[in-house]
Amino acid sequence: MDTVHSGRVRVSGAVMTHPRRADLARELIGRCRPEELDLVLDPEPDGPPTGLRTAVAAWSSVPAGSTHHLVLQDDAVLTPGFFDHVRAAAEAAPDAALSFYTHWQSRNAAAVRLAVLSGHRWAPATGEYTPTVVLLLPAPVAAGFGAYAREHGATWADDVVMSRYLREHGVPTYLSAPNLADHADVPSMHANGGHGPRRAACFAPVAPGASWELDGGLAQLDAIPFFKHGRAQVATRLGDGGWAGIEAHRYLSRLGLDAQDTAKRLDDLLAEPAPGRDVVLAEVDRPALLAHWQTALLMGVVTATRTGAAAGPDGALAESALATLGAGGLCTRFGDDDLVRLRPGLLDLARSGYAEGLAAGARLGPAPPGGGPARPARARRVVVSGPGAQPTAPTAPAAPAAVPAAVAGVAHAADVHGAQDVRDADGSELAAALARALADGEWDVTLWGGQGPEYPGVRHAEPGAGLSGAAAVLQVLADDPVHRATAAGVTLAAAEEAGVGTVVLLVDAAGAAPLGPVPGATVLRHDLVYGPGIQSGSVLEQAVRGSLLARPIRIPDQPGRRWRPVFVDDLAEAVDRALRLPPAEGQVDVRGVRPMSVADLAEAASAAVRPVPVEVTGAVGAPGAETNGSDDRRAGGPEDVVAVLGRRPRTELADGLRAWSQWLAYEAEPRPRTARRSGPGPLAEPASAAESGPATAAHADDATGGGR
């Protein structure tokens, strides 16, 4: 396409496709006339299925003289007047990447819904992939993508590579509200067919001559509730400008709202007759209905605290935005026909949830400048300390005699002083993840020695900053038994001198002797922890990463070893309960309910994230060698975690793995892949350097924003 608009914007364009779908692309080009669009074919049609090859060719086809380049995938559906709006948008935001489609279950789609409901034309892109079904880039940015992709692409999907490229080059990305493009119902070329219908968040025409200016038209969002895979989550803005996804119950708690109250309100509502309610109740499970309801409610809270709106949505556009919420969150469970049948009942629940959220938001009051809804003050302070960041001994450095006998019993006869500088990066990461979860509850948290962006309710401090005023201490202990003994002893002594009433010691069950009972402290023993914030190099993580990259999972077996994986939020809830109760006798195991072998873990990752072949190879290490993983013979059963939580774990393994894969894809910092182990032998084949960063969102999202 080569069209001039008011002498300043010249937009060129291309449709990318595979030779087997060339007719589909030509039909799209024909519908776009008189605009001229180039046809770009996959340069290696018999190669492995990926859109990246064709995307590189399409973005490299910028003709001389263009100021902007538009690339469409062959199954895009456009609104009337689309190209006039594109040119107006390019004039309004000439230096930005502009996407005109968002997949209805994505975080980006949730941002578009909020923009529509609050009367804005644009939404900021969130911390996930860049929707590339219909994307406009400034010409110099478009021309540079190919070189970047060839250097950094590896096995990544094109929308993930695009996201990383734009972020690294400081190019902002904005999403049109409403979406001016939808996704046609045609079979996927890239194995996305099992991901359900791939519709837009709010597909609707815009009046000719409408304004696309960013000034006043860009929604300012710091919290984005979204409903995905039947779960309610919230993307929250961090202090460094990035995003973090958390479970909705944590965000409700952050606002001072009771998740149980919302569940009771939903039960009352479901007991009332309403159009389509019988169908929804018969076919959608209650946890998914609650997640849908809570997401709509939080959308209302965010809208009210940001805009002061006090009434429900008005008009067809707002109705369209709410109507896709339930269908998008359930699109991997139901087909198109089923979703059409469920739509009236889901829309009715979304309306009522959104209205309740508007009322709750009005009670909370306007959000402070530059932030989300105000966080209620917390009365109780907890100090969270990772390995190597324990309190300074109150009088003298800890000696073996100063360590409680039950603790010292696990230490070697060697000098304990030498263990002071031991660091366990995984434990420090776990401490930070638990600190964030506790801050979303009812704790004011001080994190010792932790790194990372600002997080509401978490203050960073140097180790040894003092325990004065703290009600409790959580000490995450390292794997090394000598370091465990020292850290536990010093923490107990410092807590006693400062008058801290509660001490919780958290220890990994993997490959270490039991810590035993510690008078004056509760000892929680966890197994393999997984979930957002955790990069430990475990068997399970490597299986998830392999599935994310659509590669066969090849992992050495560890005969006789069993894991009971625990989701980080469930562990955080157990810690929260322990911090509120008197010290428990002995130690309490907080672990998943089912023992799993290497093969079980790999198969679970493949089933939850993306189906790939699984091969468990020969065992590593000498017979009887200690390898990573807990010894199931000396660990408690599921009754322990039920006792400490008061219920079974909240998170099913498949749901937790999906949440983890999203974090690994969109939020995890790139770092070298070094597997942690407590004995000889690798956990799995080492990943290449290309796999050390965020994994491909094509698979974390179960759809690449609706790609081919």
Side-chain angles (χ1 to χ4, degrees):
M1 183 176 77
D2 188 2
T3 304
V4 179
H5 180 67
S6 68
R8 292 184 297 173
V9 170
R10 184 182 295 267
V11 180
S12 56
V15 176
M16 54 181 280
T17 190
H18 188 278
R20 291 202 298 270
R21 296 193 356 174
D23 288 344
L24 184 67
R26 292 189 181 97
E27 289 176 8
L28 174 59
I29 292 173
R31 292 195 301 272
C32 293
R33 297 193 188 282
E35 313 293 345
E36 295 295 331
L37 298 175
D38 294 331
L39 178 66
V40 178
L41 298 172
D42 187 339
E44 190 183 337
D46 295 326
T50 174
L52 184 59
R53 287 189 307 266
T54 318
V56 167
W59 290 114
S60 300
S61 66
V62 184
S66 294
T67 63
H68 294 78
H69 194 57
L70 176 74
V71 170
L72 305 92
Q73 294 182 5
D74 57 20
D75 44 12
V77 178
L78 308 178
T79 58
F82 172 81
F83 291 97
D84 288 336
H85 290 303
V86 166
R87 286 185 283 268
E91 283 200 346
D95 301 319
L98 305 178
S99 180
F100 299 95
Y101 164 88
T102 54
H103 187 291
W104 59 357
Q105 74 160 343
S106 67
R107 304 179 189 195
N108 285 321
V112 167
R113 290 190 188 96
L114 288 176
V116 168
L117 291 167
S118 58
H120 291 88
R121 180 65 70 208
W122 294 104
T126 66
E128 60 177 3
Y129 62 85
T130 297
T132 55
V133 172
V134 180
L135 181 66
L136 180 76
L137 297 181
V141 177
F145 176 73
Y148 179 90
R150 282 186 285 270
E151 181 179 355
H152 300 283
T155 58
W156 312 102
D158 66 307
D159 46 15
V160 180
V161 179
M162 179 63 75
S163 178
R164 297 175 68 183
Y165 170 65
L166 296 174
R167 184 171 60 249
E168 290 180 23
H169 288 78
V171 180
T173 302
Y174 304 126
L175 317 167
S176 70
N179 293 153
L180 301 185
D182 203 351
H183 195 286
D185 186 18
V186 295
S188 171
M189 290 291 296
H190 301 143
N192 290 325
H195 306 147
R198 291 164 281 162
R199 300 285 183 252
C202 182
F203 178 58
V206 173
S211 172
W212 290 93
E213 294 297 323
L214 291 174
D215 187 14
L218 176 63
Q220 302 298 318
L221 302 174
D222 297 289
I224 302 174
F226 63 100
F227 179 48
K228 182 173 182 175
H229 296 304
R231 292 177 69 83
Q233 302 172 68
V234 182
T236 61
R237 180 83 77 172
L238 298 176
D240 64 352
W243 295 86
I246 62 173
E247 298 294 309
H249 69 87
R250 282 177 53 177
Y251 194 73
L252 286 164
S253 179
R254 182 189 294 187
L255 300 179
L257 301 176
D258 192 329
Q260 293 302 315
D261 286 347
T262 67
K264 293 175 182 176
R265 178 67 187 101
L266 175 64
D267 287 340
D268 293 341
L269 189 68
L270 293 177
E272 301 172 2
R277 186 153 296 167
D278 290 344
V279 177
V280 166
L281 287 172
E283 300 192 29
V284 182
D285 60 83
R286 186 185 178 281
L289 288 178
L290 177 60
H292 175 234
W293 161 261
Q294 288 178 332
T295 304
L297 184 146
L298 285 172
M299 289 168 61
V301 170
V302 171
T303 301
T305 55
R306 267 290 169 204
T307 68
D314 183 26
L317 193 60
E319 191 88 341
S320 174
L322 286 177
T324 64
L325 174 64
L330 298 172
C331 67
T332 57
R333 302 186 183 186
F334 297 95
D336 259 332
D337 292 343
D338 293 328
L339 292 175
V340 169
R341 199 158 31 79
L342 292 169
R343 176 174 173 140
L346 291 173
L347 175 57
D348 179 71
L349 288 176
R351 284 197 206 101
S352 60
Y354 184 74
E356 295 245 351
L358 288 174
R363 292 191 295 271
L364 290 172
R375 178 180 181 272
R378 308 305 192 194
R380 293 167 60 85
R381 175 172 168 246
V382 61
V383 172
V384 178
S385 176
Q390 69 271 5
T392 303
T395 52
V403 179
V407 179
V410 305
H412 299 302
D415 183 6
V416 178
H417 299 287
Q420 294 279 3
D421 294 328
V422 173
R423 295 291 186 271
D424 180 349
D426 299 330
S428 297
E429 200 168 58
L430 176 58
L434 294 173
R436 293 190 290 268
L438 292 171
D440 285 334
E442 299 181 2
W443 293 95
D444 181 46
V445 179
T446 298
L447 176 61
W448 280 359
Q451 301 296 321
E454 295 179 9
Y455 193 89
V458 177
R459 292 177 292 180
H460 294 269
E462 291 299 318
L467 298 176
S468 177
V473 176
L474 168 64
Q475 176 70 59
V476 180
L477 298 177
D479 289 349
D480 179 79
V482 177
H483 184 269
R484 284 184 182 185
T486 305
V490 172
T491 298
L492 285 167
E496 182 178 1
E497 181 167 287
V500 177
T502 303
V503 175
V504 173
L505 304 174
L506 189 65
V507 61
D508 191 341
L515 185 61
V518 179
T522 295
V523 178
L524 297 182
R525 196 170 72 129
H526 65 82
D527 204 338
L528 193 163
V529 181
Y530 72 100
I534 305 300
Q535 290 188 90
S536 62
S538 66
V539 171
L540 187 55
E541 181 186 338
Q542 294 205 27
V544 168
R545 285 182 176 273
S547 187
L548 279 167
L549 293 167
R551 289 183 167 182
I553 299 173
R554 298 187 69 250
I555 296 185
D557 196 9
Q558 297 182 35
R561 309 304 284 173
R562 295 293 183 270
W563 293 262
R564 295 180 188 266
V566 58
F567 190 62
V568 64
D569 279 14
D570 284 321
L571 179 59
E573 288 196 52
V575 169
D576 178 77
R577 288 179 65 90
L579 289 170
R580 299 169 186 273
L581 298 173
E585 295 184 4
Q587 64 179 15
V588 180
D589 282 300
V590 182
R591 312 189 306 150
V593 297
R594 181 168 73 91
M596 303 181 73
S597 65
V598 169
D600 293 333
L601 295 175
E603 293 288 356
S606 174
V609 181
R610 185 181 183 92
V612 294
V614 172
E615 179 184 356
V616 177
T617 61
V620 299
E626 188 78 4
T627 54
N628 187 40
S630 63
D631 185 342
D632 201 56
R633 292 171 298 177
R634 66 166 185 257
E639 63 276 4
D640 280 350
V641 70
V642 171
V644 74
L645 288 177
R647 54 168 174 75
R648 289 174 63 88
R650 183 192 303 273
T651 309
E652 297 294 336
L653 181 62
D655 291 330
L657 291 177
R658 293 190 190 101
W660 195 21
S661 69
Q662 292 172 42
W663 180 82
L664 290 169
Y666 309 140
E667 301 160 28
E669 289 295 325
R671 74 183 198 182
R673 304 290 300 118
T674 302
R676 176 175 61 87
R677 61 180 186 274
S678 55
L683 292 177
E685 294 184 350
S688 67
E691 296 169 10
S692 63
T696 169
H699 315 308
D701 197 43
D702 274 355
T704 65
R708 296 179 294 138

